[in-house]
Amino acid sequence: MPQKPIVFDAPRPLPRAFTAEALQAEILERLTYSVGKDPIVARPHDWLKATILAVRARIIDRWMESSRETWRTSHKRVYYLSLEFLIGRLMRDAMSNIGVIEPVRTALKNLNVDLAGLIDLEPDAALGNGGLGRLAACFLESMSSIKIPAYGYGIRYVHGLFRQEMSEGWQVELPEEWLAHGNPWEFERRESAYEVGFGGHVEPIIEPDGSTRLEWRPSEHVLAVAFDTPIVGWRGARVNTLRLWSAQPIDPILLDKFNSGDHIGALEESSRAEAITRVLYPADSTPSGQELRLRQEYFFSSASLQDIVRRHLQQYGDLGSLADKVAIQLNDTHPAISIAELMRILIDIHGLKWAQAWKLTRGTFGYTNHTLLPEALETWPVALMERMLPRQMQIIYAINAEVLTEARQKAGFNDQQIANVSLIDEHGSRRVRMGQLAFVGSHSINGVSALHTELMKKTVFADLNKLYPDRINNKTNGVTPRRWLMQCNPGLTKLITERIGPGFQDNMDLLAGLDKHAEDPGFQQQFAAAKRANKARLAEIIKERLNFVVSPDALFDVQVKRIHEYKRQLLNVIEAVAQYSAIRSRPEKDWVPKVKVFAGKAAPGYWNAKLIIKLINDVAKVINNDPSVRGLLKVVFLPNYNVSLAEAIVPAADLSEQISTAGMEASGTGNMKFAMNGALTIGTLDGANIEMLERVGKENMVIFGLTADKVTEKWARGDVPRASIDASPMLKGALESISSGVFSPDDPNRYRDLIGGLYDHDWFMVTRDFDAYAAAQRQVDAIWNNPRKWYSMAIRNTAHMSWFSSDRTIRQYAEEIWGVPVAR
């Protein structure tokens, strides 16, 4: 039944002034009455909290008005479900988007407080791993900026992704403490709490009319409690909500156990519940780890769907209009269990018939696929699903029966095709395919770059695409230019504004006006000066964190991203070894001074990725301390890569390494951020590199290597890598020096197996692409030695990146998937 309607004409607080004087007064008031500190003794973290509260207050009025407006107009809402939201620090983003950076700076200066110091002091929310989570954050900001009513739903991880430190060059994982001192941006919503069940059994219930309905009776319940964070759009256009769920026990302590002396056991249920939201991506190499990962995914999916259905019923009274008023986007396979869960809610709780529930479910959900890698297309053991989620498993079986019947009777599929589209993988131990579940339960399935989308049709979803040929579509990723140009690179933003005017800040298409200035020597000098200032800032960070000096006049060659074999940090470091050998062999040559910057985290259970980090650090130790290199080549690994560190690295990069094995990177967004900030790309024809090439021009990027088709061809032929190695003396020498222990004298065999894998199989085509990559690096060197050519290319990269704004991506989602009107 609908709840009591909301009244919109209630008295509202007076709007708050945005002047430096008003902000100064409120910061002092917040410091005194919210933080409880006298300005005389206040510490930087006290000033940070007071400043955030003062800025937050100016967002809340618009936040509430945005919500009221959606209720008044009955506009369709978008719900973005993602296991990751890599939002980073929020204060500068919020101040910039509502236009109060300078008033706040002045207000704090009058109080003898430095704004820059406070910005650096804010914790970096570790709610994501990499591109997937950062994309979700960019999308939320864009939805606010173009006035789409939206909620982001995720998990309020207490520790989030681990904090990465180095111990003798090895990655060490430590808990991230971003919530240790609270989060002044969030609001707990105790009224938005839902029970989420696990385990138990399904009970048949005989209805008065003789029909039977099924009722799930879980053996365990936890409470999902909502914490809301306002996400403000550009110029305060709209403020949407990021709702994160915290798991809490129904009973925080079992008093009978406690009173009987079992003080630890009395907290068992509390610990079991809180473990769900303790850490992002718990290792799933053990059965208990797998169970915890599945509990996380179901927990946030169920809580989110209960919240969505409750809100819809509160406004509209019945569920028949659900697909007309609600669009739910699944960000990868992590929330795919939502398909079965929404069916359960509609049928078991609200009494809908199967056919209507299935129609509403398909009409409501869209699914974004982010990978073709088998290990990332999640599957769960059937036995685990039946034990933890027995009713959802029944629904999955029923969906599967309907899909397979349709495939056999309507599409005439053969046995192999039937096996390919089945939601249950019957090979070996039976497993539920979450990608297939998301596909069949959604009306739209999108890839995130043109190449990725075409490969989806040909590979992982080939037969599903034949069964449902109109569902797969492409939505190439984008990044928000507010954070990834205007905020992280104020020097370049100021320069662009002076040259073409401020209009590009509201209409990124106007950035193309820079193109006509690309050959202007004066503008090139200004552009180079802005870049050098950013490089000097990064050099200071390197010195501060690693006690190591690099020159901002060197070419900064940057590869920062999750450490994975397909991203080929190994190719990069092998080339560095080859270059090191060449510099020592030919000291008289006119070498380009170069700093190779690496950063990224390896999954705790991914041994080869962690070994690659160690190799980078071992290579750095040797090269950086060899006087014969004369500082011409330096290698740096910056630990604990996160959004804040990226905001310092991206504006400083001269060269952007986007060198993944062709056909394996779904899109990439780092490539867009770097190019937007005037870096040249060295890369393969993979992911969004292809679309960047179309817009930036092949003359302004350095492309090398095998295409996706050629990679597939070599896999099919089973080519032996050894021939490629023997044909390249430079490659062979580099591999031999690594495998023989030149860079690991304490353990000469450390890299023998890693390098041996390149000889035996080389699945990621490191050796097959090496010579082309080395040649591309020499091409880069030649361009660097011609500054006029370099900066004309760099300027054109920035000028032609407007299409890669996440605003464009979200408009396409809104118009082509969600059916939501958007502001232009």
Side-chain angles (χ1 to χ4, degrees), residues 3 25 59 85 93 187 193-194 208 227 259 292 305 369 383 396 403 437 452 489 578 593 625 666 684 719 740 812:
Q3 299 179 15
I59 294 170
F85 282 97
D93 190 57
F187 296 83
Y194 302 93
F227 287 78
N259 290 331
L292 179 55
L305 292 171
N369 173 276
I396 289 171
V403 170
L437 176 61
H452 170 235
N489 202 341
N625 291 292
T684 50
D719 282 353
S740 66
Q812 290 183 336

Side-chain angles (χ1 to χ4, degrees), residues 703-736:
I703 298 297
F704 73 94
L706 298 170
T707 63
D709 288 342
K710 289 294 184 183
V711 169
T712 303
E713 184 181 307
K714 286 188 177 292
W715 284 337
R717 287 209 312 257
D719 282 353
V720 179
R722 190 173 297 272
S724 298
I725 297 170
D726 290 339
S728 173
M730 183 168 54
L731 170 61
K732 190 172 184 178
L735 295 182
E736 287 176 351

Side-chain angles (χ1 to χ4, degrees), residues 213-371:
R213 68 178 178 86
L214 298 174
E215 184 178 292
W216 179 31
R217 296 184 177 175
S219 58
E220 177 190 356
H221 291 88
V222 299
L223 203 60
V225 179
F227 287 78
D228 288 356
T229 298
I231 304 296
V232 61
W234 178 238
R235 302 202 189 282
R238 180 183 176 86
V239 182
N240 282 321
T241 301
L242 172 60
R243 175 160 286 186
L244 302 176
W245 299 105
S246 177
Q248 299 179 11
I250 303 294
D251 296 311
I253 186 171
L254 302 177
L255 279 176
D256 56 341
K257 282 193 175 184
F258 191 87
N259 290 331
S260 68
D262 187 3
H263 302 147
I264 303 299
L267 299 174
E268 182 180 349
E269 285 193 16
S270 181
S271 298
R272 185 170 171 80
E274 291 171 1
I276 294 173
T277 54
R278 181 68 62 181
V279 174
L280 168 68
Y281 292 142
D284 59 356
S285 55
T286 63
S288 59
Q290 289 181 21
E291 179 176 329
L292 179 55
R293 181 83 70 91
L294 180 56
R295 284 164 69 89
Q296 284 185 331
E297 294 182 2
Y298 175 70
F299 165 80
F300 104 90
S301 296
S302 178
S304 303
L305 292 171
Q306 291 182 63
D307 197 43
I308 291 166
V309 169
R310 185 269 310 162
R311 186 176 297 108
H312 182 82
L313 286 173
Q314 183 177 347
Q315 184 163 7
Y316 300 107
D318 70 84
L319 292 167
S321 61
L322 187 70
D324 298 321
K325 296 297 182 181
V326 168
I328 304 175
Q329 192 69 28
L330 304 177
N331 193 29
D332 218 20
T333 56
H334 307 124
I337 192 64
S338 298
I339 303 295
E341 177 66 359
L342 183 58
M343 289 291 287
R344 183 190 72 83
I345 291 171
L346 296 178
I347 295 169
D348 295 0
I349 297 176
H350 295 285
L352 272 63
K353 299 299 183 184
W354 177 275
Q356 184 186 11
W358 189 228
K359 182 179 180 181
L360 288 174
T361 296
R362 277 184 162 176
T364 300
F365 280 110
Y367 161 51
T368 300
N369 173 276
H370 283 278
T371 183

Side-chain angles (χ1 to χ4, degrees), residues 577-594:
V577 170
Q579 181 76 343
Y580 168 57
S581 178
I583 290 172
R584 293 196 300 169
S585 299
R586 298 283 306 277
E588 81 288 354
K589 194 175 176 182
D590 186 19
W591 298 103
V592 170
K594 187 174 293 186

